[in-house]
Amino acid sequence: MKLYAKTIPQTLPAWATIVTKSADLFEIEINDEHPNFQSLLEELATEIEPGTIGVKAEDLCSRLGIEMSNPHLHQLVEQAQNLISQIATHSDYKQLLGEGYQADLNIADAQTALTYLEWELERNRETSD
């Protein structure tokens, strides 16, 4: 898992590593399988909406002393495309498909939706220039 932050504390936990650093953005890789990170998640878990338990990014960042960056939509779409590609090639996903898993919408549909969004973002950027 990755976080993008404007500011970070002097020292990060053992399960967090700075991947890239620029003047106004830190890319932090989180080892989300690390037991200490899992413990933190359990401690911060709340009911986000009825029946949905999770951890709010704001709570996690506050605990870590990180000020989150608000990435551009284009960056988020690119990250989503990368994640979807990883899902599509993941052995567990392939196993599910082999066992007959079918959904009304599939990975290709998600990729297509993101591609359309990228095209619209690019079109809007060109018309505003």
Side-chain angles (χ1 to χ4, degrees), residues 46-76:
T46 60
E47 188 170 39
I48 295 173
E49 59 183 51
T52 303
I53 303 295
V55 174
K56 295 178 183 175
E58 180 181 336
D59 294 344
L60 177 61
C61 291
S62 175
R63 180 64 69 88
L64 296 175
I66 291 174
E67 181 184 349
M68 286 294 290
S69 170
N70 188 8
H72 295 286
L73 182 56
H74 184 74
Q75 290 173 304
L76 293 173

Side-chain angles (χ1 to χ4, degrees), residues 74-117:
H74 184 74
Q75 290 173 304
L76 293 173
V77 171
E78 185 178 316
Q79 291 170 7
Q81 286 280 30
N82 289 335
L83 288 171
I84 288 172
S85 294
Q86 290 177 35
I87 291 169
T89 59
H90 196 280
S91 59
D92 291 344
Y93 180 72
K94 288 181 178 184
Q95 181 181 349
L96 286 171
L97 291 174
E99 294 170 356
Y101 169 75
Q102 293 181 343
D104 291 341
L105 299 173
N106 59 37
I107 296 291
D109 295 322
Q111 289 172 320
T112 300
L114 289 171
T115 298
Y116 289 164
L117 181 54

